[in-house]
């Protein structure tokens, strides 16, 4: 169910059953912005239905926090323009060539292009993998893009971090809200899940420079600023 954080900021909570991440929404005076596209058109449609029920307009833009399937495979179900950092854009173009039969998925696992957790969750979300479709980004940026929907702003910043070097956060400074995507998460694609020290330190430094009071992660409930840094500094010391 759609939840409201501030007058302008809403989110659809994550669902671990098929690794559906949190989806964010910013209501502007001129247009609205969605944060992350979801892991399937069905996931994206769930947010759109919740918005319709709440009398909120469909988003004109969708900001992608990184390339992983659970944040991008919902794009074909949206008519919003997709904004992504250039590194995310390159991975989306690469995934356009992927096939989803058992042999192709097994080869990506063998080659280290994908991991078992994602493989299993994709199979759960898509009983018919023939329905998997991808869409490239419409708007690319390097390190920062400001969207100005009216009455507020949405500042997209590439922060990288341990999870993926293309991770982007979406800061709504007027509302004191930061959408983290999975930037706060561990590296799951290079051996056992872990937090590389240097990447984690750089992420903490980047996030400390931002002015926010509430952080919304891709796979956790909203966190206060203090709780977020308490968590990150704890894993940094492990």
């Amino acid at each position: 169910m759609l939840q409201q954080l501030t007058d302008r900021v809403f989110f659809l909570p994550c669902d671990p059953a098929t690794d559906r991440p949190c989806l964010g929404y910013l209501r502007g005076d001129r247009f609205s912005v969605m944060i992350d596209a979801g892991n399937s058109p069905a996931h994206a449609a769930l947010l759109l239905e919740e918005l319709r029920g709440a009398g909120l307009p469909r988003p004109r833009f969708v900001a992608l926090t990184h390339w992983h399937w659970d944040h991008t495979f919902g794009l074909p179900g949206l008519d919003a323009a997709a904004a992504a950092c250039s590194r995310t854009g390159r991975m989306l173009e690469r995934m356009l060539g992927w096939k989803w039969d058992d042999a192709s998925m097994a080869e990506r696992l063998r080659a280290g292009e994908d991991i078992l957790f994602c493989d299993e969750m994709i199979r759960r979300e898509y009983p018919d993998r023939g329905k998997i479709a991808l869409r490239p980004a419409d708007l690319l940026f390097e390190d920062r893009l400001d969207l100005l929907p009216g009455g507020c702003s949405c500042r997209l910043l590439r922060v990288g971090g341990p999870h993926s070097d293309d991770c982007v956060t979406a800061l709504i400074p007027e509302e004191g809200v930061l959408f983290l995507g999975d930037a706060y998460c561990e590296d799951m694609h290079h051996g056992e899940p872990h937090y590389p020290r240097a990447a984690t330190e750089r992420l903490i430094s980047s996030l400390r420079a931002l002015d926010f009071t509430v952080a919304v992660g891709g796979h956790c409930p909203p966190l206060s600023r203090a709780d977020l840094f308490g968590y990150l500094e704890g894993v940094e010391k492990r």
Side-chain angles (χ1 to χ4, degrees):
M1 179 179 293
L2 191 68
Q3 297 188 21
Q4 186 168 5
L5 271 180
T6 71
D7 181 54
R8 293 184 180 274
V9 178
F10 302 76
F11 71 97
L12 188 69
C14 62
D15 181 356
T18 57
D19 201 33
R20 288 183 169 183
C22 163
L23 301 180
Y25 177 84
L26 171 62
R27 178 184 59 80
D29 293 338
R30 297 187 296 113
F31 61 85
S32 296
V33 180
M34 181 175 172
I35 295 94
D36 276 327
N39 73 352
S40 66
H43 187 199
L46 182 60
L47 176 65
L48 296 181
E49 180 60 23
E50 290 282 325
L51 295 176
R52 187 194 66 78
L56 294 167
R58 292 169 71 96
R60 186 182 300 177
F61 291 93
V62 54
L64 303 178
T65 62
H66 63 301
W67 68 271
H68 291 164
W69 79 279
D70 50 319
H71 297 256
T72 59
F73 279 23
L75 273 177
L78 297 166
D79 55 8
C85 81
S86 58
R87 299 183 188 209
T88 300
R90 287 194 292 270
M91 282 304 302
L92 289 176
E93 293 286 350
R94 180 178 177 184
M95 286 194 295
L96 285 171
W98 286 8
K99 297 180 180 179
W100 300 99
D101 56 275
D102 287 340
S104 297
M105 293 177 72
E107 174 58 23
R108 285 196 293 275
L109 291 178
R110 188 201 65 78
E113 287 186 290
D114 210 346
I115 60 173
L116 185 59
F117 176 77
C118 293
D119 185 280
E120 292 173 346
M121 288 297 174
I122 287 170
R123 293 172 188 272
R124 289 187 192 180
E125 181 69 24
Y126 291 91
D128 179 0
R129 279 172 280 132
K131 294 184 177 179
I132 296 177
L134 284 80
R135 211 187 91 191
D138 302 289
L139 179 63
L140 296 178
F141 62 94
E142 287 302 319
D143 296 312
R144 173 172 171 169
L145 175 68
D146 289 321
L147 297 174
L148 305 174
C152 57
S153 58
C154 182
R155 186 180 306 158
L156 306 180
L157 299 163
R158 188 181 74 83
V159 296
H163 190 68
S164 185
D165 68 357
D166 67 322
C167 277
V168 165
T169 59
L171 176 67
I172 300 100
E174 298 85 357
E175 305 294 306
V177 176
L178 179 70
F179 283 95
L180 287 165
D182 290 357
Y184 69 101
C185 295
E186 64 267 55
D187 180 351
M188 297 180 65
H189 286 253
H190 302 92
E192 290 297 315
H194 67 291
Y195 281 89
R197 181 175 296 275
T200 305
E201 289 176 350
R202 288 194 298 270
L203 175 66
I204 292 172
S205 178
S206 295
L207 296 181
R208 282 205 176 278
L210 305 180
D211 186 13
F212 64 93
T213 56
V214 178
V216 184
H219 300 275
C220 69
L223 298 169
S224 69
R225 182 183 180 93
D227 285 344
L228 172 63
F229 287 115
Y231 172 76
L232 289 174
E233 288 166 357
V235 299
E236 178 195 18
K237 296 173 182 177
R238 288 179 189 171

